Amino acid sequence: MGTTSKKRGVQDVAAEVQEYVTELILQANPDRDNSNVLSRWTGRLSLQERNALACLSRVAIGDTSFAPQWYELENGQYSVADEPIVHEISHDGQPQGIVTRNRYGCLVLNCDSMMIVDVDIAASEQDKIQDCVSSSQVALSQEQAIAAVESLVQQFPDLGFRVYRTRNGLRHFCITQLSDPLDPATHRVMSSLYVDPLYSRLCQFQGTFRARLTPKPWRVDREHQEQFVYDRITGLVLPHSSPYAVCHLIEVLGNSEILPQFEPLLQTHDSYCRVNRLGLKLA
């Protein structure tokens, strides 16, 4: 996948990080708030560079007022850099995305050009504490969430979205145009679709869009956990037959023509998530 450093044409990430570390040591004062020093760099640094800077810095970055926007998430549970890569996805020899394993064992699709919008809707009363919607700013119904997509594609007919139903929300894939997770315009579109604010922050922080591919372990009976089988059609190691799916494809809104480079990403997502198995329980 492309990174911020690659977009800037940086060839030696380690050398550039070391340059920033040297500047930090020279300019930052451990007895003062170093927000100005840190904020000068965050727009330039890639996730990998930030990880390296956080590890190498001799200044207590976490003690500054700027930390909530930069440092705390860096060492948090959502850092892509800390997740092992399970599968790489390419189109015509060009990398399009990766599948990683997150902190609680789920496989996750990561891509930096196909917009994925995560939307929370009202959780059911029987859901466990891990499933409760905590970051949403509005109480949203499925009808309202889909209406927002319909309104957007009416305004911009070239846009197209695949809409999936997850256990506690919706997942939208913009299939007709390239998107940049670091571009404010991207996040204005995502906000118009009632994106989960935490998910939006993570996209900006990580420089990637994400979608979980396998069930959350606390939603699955123990005998169905970690069972996979090789699929000869897709060439992927997919979840073994079980009563669970991650999401269901419910409709395509707007332009239905998929960009060619998105095809392998969607095939990977749909195969892992078992999106056409409508009789399966969402987990």
Side-chain angles (χ1 to χ4, degrees):
M1 293 198 313
T3 64
T4 308
S5 56
K6 290 180 181 178
K7 291 175 183 176
R8 296 199 317 269
V10 175
Q11 299 299 318
D12 191 341
V13 172
E16 182 153 331
V17 170
Q18 187 60 51
E19 178 183 340
Y20 290 141
V21 172
T22 302
E23 184 179 353
L24 175 63
I25 293 171
L26 290 176
Q27 292 193 15
N29 186 337
D31 299 323
R32 273 204 315 253
D33 185 335
N34 296 296
S35 300
N36 290 334
V37 178
L38 297 173
S39 62
R40 241 190 355 258
W41 299 334
T42 53
R44 300 185 59 203
L45 295 176
S46 70
L47 172 66
Q48 289 79 5
E49 290 167 335
R50 290 185 224 176
N51 275 332
L53 183 57
C55 293
L56 293 174
S57 172
R58 300 175 191 171
V59 176
I61 298 174
D63 293 337
T64 71
S65 63
F66 194 69
Q69 291 82 29
W70 187 77
Y71 182 75
E72 291 177 358
L73 276 177
E74 189 70 56
N75 286 333
Q77 50 198 344
Y78 290 98
S79 176
V80 178
D82 294 333
E83 296 179 354
I85 297 175
V86 176
H87 179 63
E88 297 182 358
I89 305 166
S90 300
H91 174 74
D92 285 345
Q94 297 298 315
Q96 299 298 324
I98 55 175
V99 175
T100 60
R101 185 178 293 278
N102 72 9
R103 72 193 189 282
Y104 50 81
C106 289
L107 300 183
V108 180
L109 173 67
N110 304 265
C111 57
D112 59 7
S113 61
M114 181 175 65
M115 183 195 301
I116 304 172
V117 183
D118 183 77
V119 180
D120 286 328
I121 59 178
S124 59
E125 293 182 0
Q126 70 269 21
D127 284 328
K128 296 182 179 180
I129 186 70
Q130 297 99 319
D131 296 319
C132 292
V133 178
S134 59
S135 57
S136 293
Q137 296 176 336
V138 295
L140 197 66
S141 69
Q142 178 171 315
E143 292 74 18
Q144 290 172 312
I146 292 178
V149 183
E150 292 173 334
S151 175
L152 187 64
V153 298
Q154 286 175 2
Q155 296 177 60
F156 304 98
D158 290 338
L159 286 181
F161 288 85
R162 289 169 69 88
V163 179
Y164 300 84
R165 180 67 165 93
T166 62
R167 176 174 170 128
N168 287 332
L170 295 174
R171 178 180 291 177
H172 308 316
F173 283 66
C174 182
I175 58 176
T176 55
Q177 71 173 30
L178 299 174
S179 302
D180 183 349
L182 301 177
D183 188 344
T186 297
H187 289 271
R188 286 195 292 271
V189 172
M190 294 170 68
S191 294
S192 73
L193 300 178
Y194 300 104
V195 66
D196 170 19
L198 175 58
Y199 173 80
S200 181
R201 277 188 68 194
L202 294 174
C203 288
Q204 291 176 298
F205 170 72
Q206 298 170 344
T208 184
F209 303 104
R210 282 164 67 87
R212 180 172 52 84
L213 300 177
T214 53
K216 291 183 176 179
W218 56 86
R219 295 175 178 170
V220 177
D221 294 336
R222 185 175 298 275
E223 63 267 26
H224 296 299
Q225 292 183 6
E226 290 297 318
Q227 297 185 29
F228 296 89
V229 62
Y230 177 75
D231 183 85
R232 294 182 179 180
I233 297 177
T234 63
L236 301 172
V237 179
L238 299 173
H240 186 56
S241 178
S242 77
Y244 301 100
V246 171
C247 58
H248 294 149
L249 176 63
I250 56 177
E251 58 185 312
V252 179
L253 297 174
N255 184 1
S256 62
E257 186 173 350
I258 301 170
L259 288 183
Q261 59 266 49
F262 291 171
E263 291 279 5
L265 294 171
L266 289 169
Q267 182 186 55
T268 299
H269 172 268
D270 290 0
S271 298
Y272 272 111
C273 294
R274 310 173 82 189
V275 302
N276 295 318
R277 302 290 298 277
L278 300 182
L280 299 182
K281 183 179 179 181
L282 295 176

